[in-house]
Amino acid sequence: MISTQLYELTLAEAAASIRAKNVSPVELTEAYLSRIEAVDGKVQAWVTVAADHAMQAAKEAERQLMLGRYLGQLHGIPYGAKDIIRTASIRTSGGSQVDGDYVPGTNAAVIDRLGNAGAVLLGKTTTTEYAYQGGEPPTRNPWNLKHTPGGSSSGSAAAVSAGMAAFTLGTQTFGSLIRPAAYNGLTCMKPTFGRISRYGVFTASWSLDHIGAFTRTVEDTAITLEVLAGGDGRDPSTLQGESPRFTGAIGRDVRGLVVGLPDTFFEAEEPVIGEAVAQAVEVLKGRGIRFKQVKLPGCMKEAIAAHRMTMRAEGAAYHMESYKTRADYYGPSMREQLELGFELSAVDYLHAQRVRSVFRNEMMSLFGEIDALLTPSTPTLALPGYKTGSPMFNGPFTNAGLPAMTVPIGIDSSRQLPIGMQLAGPLMGEETLLAIGHQYQQATSWHLQSAPIGL
Amino acid sequence: MGVQQEAEYKAFLELERSRYRSGLVTGEEKESFLEELKLLRSFRMDDQVAPYTTYRGGAGR
């Protein structure tokens, strides 16, 4: 075993220790709560730490183990959830003052799924206001406290990066999983649209919202996805039928797979990112993957405009009732987007959805000639200050509902900030991305590096 | 949060608020919105292209 502290274990390592009864769920939960106590003053990833709730769940997980009832690899594993995901009896603020003291009576579907798998909820992590742009929380990047962890899933990314949870849940409507994961040196999958139920999660945009998990390794991503994925009649956008066995996919042979390198659009602003991506390509070539240049759809600009219009319109529709009476409680940046959403006509909204249909079809055609696409995860490294950075490299895959994953591929030595590469695939193409990402992590150790948490 | 960190965060929030002193929508964002609208309206598509839909049925409300 590489790690020495319990909070440094990967999820898979912790799961193996629990199953072998070398570590108990209570010990592991205590270790994470102590870590939160020690470092969250600097990082500020948590809105609510539900210590009593967590210890109760950990004791129950331990009791089940003693009875011989092992529920799988998430049994006894402590995690956090973004504060737009409803948690029964635990405040769900949405990162907003609109209804900041809201305590739900029931759990979101993902919280129930994780609970049924024996996972232990530690608490709720910070978010921008309702996962929109603006309303940035005070959360800091554990790699360099002067910099943003990204957003909107700011706290979820920072918590895992700082060793305050084995994994966390976040959401992505533009780039809110992949971007913060890359900024924090984490591995994270935004799965195919509909793969994970959004039931019980505050909506940013019905047709764009995705749920995913922040983890340290591809193996851990596969473990979480396997539990989270599945149809749910309460979220009619979920994919029906049996979900794949994602943990089985990571060992797949990747030799001969063809990965596309886009000819335009995904050009990083910082040379250090381009250099890291070029090195990652060489690593993957060494694992038998072939590369080819590919041409992106001609309607990239229109697709981005359609994406932004969709967010504004659907956000305005979702918040319409509370905005009537509580407009002044919304932050100025979110309010700006809602105001623009109210201005948009039905005809323009539908036109934007038609543009999205064209874009998605063209992206799917592209995947007729390649197995996956490789790009930098972000145009820049994590920015200094509080603005959460550009999601532009992540938006196209959110817009089209295609799966995308980020994997750490380097660290900028001058600023001590991580660099990520993004792998994207066709609809339901998660298994190929997991296999490629896992092969990369078999050959490198970037994913095993820990954030120093210092100024 | 340290004293310096708190001061920096408060200054950031104040700067953000100051961008909206003249109205709910900044001139820059309004211009971007109108440009995007123009771009979308000028995009020609086959009349067989239907709007992107995500719901596949289910329980509803």
Side-chain angles (χ1 to χ4, degrees):
Chain A
M1 197 176 289
I2 298 162
S3 308
T4 51
Q5 301 284 340
L6 288 182
Y7 64 79
E8 289 179 322
L9 297 174
T10 68
L11 194 166
E13 287 170 341
S17 295
I18 285 177
R19 185 165 202 183
K21 297 196 170 74
N22 292 329
V23 173
S24 77
V26 169
E27 283 175 302
L28 193 61
T29 302
E30 284 172 344
Y32 279 113
L33 290 171
S34 297
R35 179 69 174 168
I36 292 170
E37 183 72 28
V39 303
D40 198 46
K42 284 183 178 176
V43 179
Q44 298 174 84
W46 300 86
V47 181
T48 304
V49 178
D52 292 345
H53 180 281
M55 287 309 298
Q56 202 179 334
K59 283 175 186 165
E60 175 57 20
E62 196 154 308
R63 196 179 71 83
Q64 293 289 333
L65 272 179
M66 292 305 163
L67 292 170
R69 295 179 195 143
Y70 180 66
L71 300 172
Q73 284 178 291
L74 294 187
H75 193 139
I77 302 292
Y79 77 100
K82 184 175 181 177
D83 209 22
I84 62 164
I85 300 172
R86 282 187 177 84
T87 42
S89 77
I90 300 172
R91 182 170 63 120
T92 303
S93 73
S96 178
Q97 291 176 23
V98 172
D99 195 10
D101 293 323
Y102 170 58
V103 179
T106 55
N107 284 325
V110 284
I111 301 295
D112 277 341
R113 272 187 170 268
L114 293 173
N116 292 338
V120 174
L121 177 65
L122 292 167
K124 308 299 290 292
T125 54
T126 60
T127 171
T128 60
E129 187 169 19
Y130 288 118
Y132 253 68
Q133 64 188 63
E136 292 85 353
T139 312
R140 304 287 68 209
N141 189 314
W143 287 87
N144 183 333
L145 297 173
K146 294 259 181 219
H147 290 246
T148 177
S152 62
S153 308
S154 315
S156 288
V160 176
S161 180
M164 293 190 277
F167 73 98
T168 51
L169 296 178
T171 62
Q172 176 159 313
T173 309
F174 213 120
S176 297
L177 288 166
I178 301 295
R179 174 181 38 153
Y183 285 172
N184 287 275
L186 302 176
T187 302
C188 181
M189 166 87 75
K190 180 208 77 66
T192 300
F193 184 84
R195 186 66 87 186
I196 299 173
S197 170
R198 290 98 39 95
Y199 176 78
V201 179
F202 294 162
T203 298
S205 165
W206 291 286
S207 68
L208 288 162
D209 290 346
H210 298 70
I211 294 176
F214 292 95
T215 66
R216 290 178 56 201
T217 69
V218 172
E219 183 182 16
D220 292 356
T221 291
I223 292 168
T224 53
L225 185 57
E226 199 159 286
V227 171
L228 293 167
D232 181 355
R234 299 167 301 175
D235 176 356
S237 64
T238 48
L239 301 168
Q240 300 304 309
E242 192 104 341
S243 296
R245 207 180 136 258
F246 295 108
T247 51
I250 61 172
R252 279 191 188 172
D253 191 356
V254 298
R255 286 172 297 179
L257 289 180
V258 180
V259 173
L261 297 171
D263 59 341
T264 52
F265 189 79
F266 293 96
E267 286 150 9
E269 291 169 27
E270 301 196 43
V272 68
I273 297 177
E275 287 159 19
V277 169
Q279 285 167 14
V281 167
E282 290 307 312
V283 169
L284 290 173
K285 278 181 183 170
R287 309 300 275 195
I289 289 173
R290 293 189 287 131
F291 286 85
K292 70 180 279 193
Q293 282 258 318
V294 291
K295 197 169 168 49
L296 292 171
C299 59
M300 293 296 285
K301 274 187 186 169
E302 290 83 356
I304 293 165
H307 189 158
R308 285 165 54 83
M309 290 302 180
T310 303
M311 274 189 78
R312 287 168 175 141
E314 294 187 9
Y318 179 76
H319 286 277
M320 187 169 66
E321 282 306 313
S322 67
Y323 197 73
K324 281 179 190 166
T325 55
R326 298 184 70 76
D328 289 342
Y329 291 85
Y330 285 86
S333 185
M334 178 157 190
R335 200 165 171 186
E336 177 179 53
Q337 296 305 313
L338 297 183
E339 288 286 338
L340 291 171
F342 289 126
E343 275 188 36
L344 203 61
S345 74
V347 172
D348 285 320
Y349 174 76
L350 286 168
H351 195 74
Q353 302 320 300
R354 294 180 67 215
V355 171
R356 290 179 68 195
S357 293
V358 171
F359 177 64
R360 178 162 156 169
N361 288 343
E362 291 188 10
M363 286 298 285
M364 285 302 285
S365 296
L366 179 62
F367 284 111
E369 52 177 302
I370 53 174
D371 296 294
L373 200 61
L374 188 154
T375 78
S377 297
T378 55
T380 68
L381 300 177
L383 302 173
Y386 294 88
K387 298 303 276 184
T388 56
S390 169
M392 293 313 271
F393 287 3
N394 322 121
F397 310 109
T398 315
N399 192 357
L402 307 176
M405 183 172 72
T406 184
V407 173
I409 57 167
I411 294 167
D412 173 57
S413 54
S414 63
R415 287 163 286 180
Q416 278 299 304
L417 289 168
I419 303 165
M421 76 169 162
Q422 180 173 237
L423 294 162
L427 291 169
M428 329 279 187
E430 289 95 337
E431 292 158 284
T432 301
L433 306 185
L434 291 167
I436 297 171
H438 185 64
Q439 280 301 314
Y440 178 81
Q441 292 189 339
Q442 294 295 103
T444 60
S445 61
W446 299 112
H447 58 291
L448 299 175
Q449 306 229 5
S450 297
I453 318 180
L455 282 167
Chain B
M1 197 182 321
V3 176
Q4 191 192 341
Q5 211 176 333
E6 191 173 351
E8 284 169 1
Y9 183 57
K10 279 183 178 166
F12 164 74
L13 294 178
E14 183 47 40
L15 187 67
E16 283 297 288
R17 273 193 293 270
S18 71
R19 294 175 57 225
Y20 298 92
R21 286 211 178 106
S22 58
L24 294 174
V25 179
T26 63
E28 188 187 9
E29 192 65 15
K30 182 75 180 187
E31 195 181 325
S32 159
F33 174 81
L34 293 173
E35 271 175 23
E36 284 171 355
L37 211 50
K38 202 167 138 190
L39 185 67
L40 285 175
R41 286 174 179 174
S42 63
F43 187 69
R44 298 284 160 249
M45 288 172 277
D46 188 299
D47 63 7
Q48 291 300 301
V49 175
Y52 180 93
T53 53
T54 54
Y55 272 29
R56 300 173 176 87
R61 85 177 262 184

